[in-house]
Amino acid sequence: MNLEQLKKELAELSDETKKAIAEIKSVDALRSLETKTVGKAGPIGSLLGKIREFSPEERGAVGQTVNLAKKELVAMFAAAMAGIKSVAADAEASKASDYDPTLPGTAVRIGCAHPVTQVQWQVEEVFQRLGFLIETGPEMETEYYNFEALNIPALHPARDMQDTFWLENNMVLRTHTSPVQVHAMQRHGAPLRVLAPGRCFRYETIDASHENTFHQVEGLMIDKHISIANLIAMMKLLLQEVFHRDLKVRLRPGYFPFVEPGFELDMSCAICGGSGCATCKQSGWIEILPCGMVHPSVLRYGGIDPEKYTGFAFGLGLTRLAMMKYGVKDIRGLNGGDMRSLVPASRLAGPVILEKAEAVKGGSSC
Ligand code: FA5
């Protein structure tokens, strides 16, 4: 081989390498070709090995020619490597730009106050306008306030009406909000207008309209010359304000030892429209508002003279009222911690965040 042949061979190697590099897309394949081309075992290595075959005068020029060709090849590989890396970087960058800021975002679903709380606020608003105080009595109550001061002495059969959770300290989880009547009378005296919303507890079998934990609102109005007419007018106003329409109601005699006379005010079942369903036990009516004129003995327990004052009281079933207002067929839907209770139907689709319940209070859109 002479110097001319060597130069020709190197030129061919350069052309072939250029073509091969143009086909290569990956860093690994390029590195492998570089090793095969300019490495000791490749054509450049073998040409360098052949320098000995040239005359001592030619060896300098041959060495320079091969080394120059090697340098050019190495530069060719370096440029190709930079090209491949920049294409990869562009691909990575375009992957990141798959994000489309014009697409609709993931909506944060805002819940609202529990339906029972909303109805409670409505009832409170109606009665606060009429000058009623809001009181909350204790949920853990003495036997005296839960029963005795309400004219239900020990062994009185009326105690059987309310299955009671008795506590180890001989107190009870209040079975109704009526004990607040006596607390309020003792605290404020007469005349008195008080509303007492709160939780009640009964040890009873759960079904579509009964829970062991539910809400009532107690109302009490004591003044001179309060009559059944005042009671009925107030009950009608209450239901009208909550339902914003005229409702079918019926008043029937009811027995509660702490009122005389006592009534049961039922409303026609809003779930079935009065035709009968599981919620109203097929009767078409929902017992919602027991009420009556405060018994003289209870006035006396409260420190008020029944000769001077009369009054009415009612014990609204608030959980049932919320069921009727929002068409909840089964009380367990409200009490079971089902988060769907906290989101309006139009927004039902995912997790619910209960936030800013106070903001809802002013004018709920829920
Ligand atoms: C009472 O609790 C009386 N304290 C009400 C009262 C107050 C009468 C003042 C007269 C004067 P009753 O046991 O009927 O009454 O319960 C009142 C209301 O609470 C019922 O009409 C019903 O709407 C609701 N209620 C009673 N038990 C349950 C229960 N287990 N689950 C859900 N709501 C209930």
Side-chain angles (χ1 to χ4, degrees):
M1 182 184 277
N2 60 33
L3 189 58
E4 284 315 305
Q5 283 171 331
L6 177 75
K7 281 184 179 169
K8 199 173 161 226
E9 210 168 291
L10 284 169
E12 280 169 11
L13 178 64
S14 172
D15 283 349
E16 280 165 22
T17 307
K18 209 181 271 174
K19 278 184 202 151
I21 286 175
E23 300 292 314
I24 285 176
K25 301 274 182 278
S26 81
V27 169
D28 287 348
L30 189 68
R31 283 207 182 110
S32 148
L33 181 65
E34 187 175 10
T35 311
K36 275 187 208 153
T37 310
V38 295
K40 274 186 190 156
I44 294 289
S46 92
L47 287 173
L48 283 171
K50 284 182 182 161
I51 288 178
R52 269 178 272 114
E53 295 171 16
F54 288 85
S55 66
E57 302 79 55
E58 285 177 318
R59 278 181 200 162
V62 169
Q64 257 182 8
T65 307
V66 177
N67 277 326
L68 186 67
K70 183 179 176 182
K71 224 171 159 181
E72 283 171 3
L73 285 168
V74 168
M76 207 188 285
F77 278 107
M81 185 62 84
I84 288 177
K85 282 187 176 166
S86 117
V87 169
D90 283 353
E92 222 21 66
S94 86
K95 238 194 250 166
S97 73
D98 280 354
Y99 169 68
D100 179 354
T102 64
L103 285 175
T106 310
V108 176
R109 290 174 192 93
I110 298 178
C112 55
H114 194 280
V116 173
T117 308
Q118 291 192 42
V119 178
Q120 180 183 321
W121 288 339
Q122 281 173 5
V123 174
E124 284 176 7
E125 222 172 285
V126 174
F127 282 90
Q128 273 177 316
R129 264 190 273 137
L130 297 170
F132 278 65
L133 298 170
I134 308 285
E135 294 266 317
T136 51
E139 290 180 345
M140 185 172 72
E141 197 43 283
T142 59
E143 199 179 338
Y144 176 80
Y145 281 103
N146 199 75
F147 296 118
E148 222 157 302
L150 291 168
N151 215 19
I152 315 174
L155 304 179
H156 190 289
R159 291 205 183 192
D160 296 337
M161 284 159 61
Q162 294 164 342
D163 292 312
T164 307
F165 288 111
W166 290 90
L167 303 176
E168 282 176 358
N169 59 3
N170 287 328
M171 292 178 86
V172 298
L173 289 182
R174 69 174 174 195
T175 56
H176 49 176
T177 42
S178 297
V180 187
Q181 286 186 32
V182 184
H183 285 297
M185 283 188 242
Q186 290 176 345
R187 193 172 306 138
H188 303 290
L192 177 62
R193 295 173 191 202
V194 69
L195 194 77
R199 279 196 306 178
C200 307
F201 310 86
R202 290 186 197 175
Y203 183 55
E204 64 184 335
T205 313
I206 293 169
D207 61 24
S209 55
H210 291 82
E211 259 289 0
N212 53 30
T213 304
F214 57 97
H215 286 74
Q216 285 186 350
V217 178
E218 195 78 9
L220 175 70
M221 181 169 181
I222 296 172
D223 211 328
K224 287 178 178 157
H225 316 300
I226 296 290
S227 70
I228 295 175
N230 298 119
L231 166 64
I232 293 172
M234 211 67 109
M235 299 303 94
K236 270 188 155 174
L237 174 78
L238 164 62
L239 292 176
Q240 263 166 20
E241 292 275 346
V242 170
F243 288 91
H244 301 297
R245 62 186 152 98
D246 264 338
L247 289 164
K248 242 164 102 183
V249 293
R250 70 177 185 188
L251 199 64
R252 56 191 167 87
Y255 172 64
F256 302 94
F258 34 95
V259 286
E260 180 56 39
F263 307 102
E264 287 281 6
L265 192 143
D266 302 335
M267 61 175 280
S268 75
C269 178
I271 303 293
C272 60
S275 59
C277 66
T279 312
C280 62
K281 295 202 179 113
Q282 311 305 330
S283 71
W285 294 96
I286 281 281
E287 180 194 306
I288 206 149
L289 230 175
C291 50
M293 300 304 290
V294 182
H295 196 288
S297 304
V298 176
L299 288 173
R300 268 188 225 104
Y301 274 114
I304 293 174
D305 184 353
E307 300 299 326
K308 287 191 190 155
Y309 289 99
T310 53
F312 68 76
F314 62 88
L316 171 69
L318 199 60
T319 310
R320 282 198 199 159
L321 189 68
M323 289 171 72
M324 292 298 110
K325 185 168 166 76
Y326 296 108
V328 178
K329 289 186 186 141
D330 196 310
I331 197 167
R332 286 162 283 201
L334 288 178
N335 256 30
D338 187 335
M339 290 298 274
R340 284 173 301 175
S341 306
L342 300 180
V343 76
S346 59
R347 299 201 205 126
L348 259 184
V352 175
I353 300 166
L354 178 60
E355 62 180 14
K356 298 206 174 76
E358 267 312 303
V360 180
K361 191 172 179 177
S364 167
S365 60
C366 301

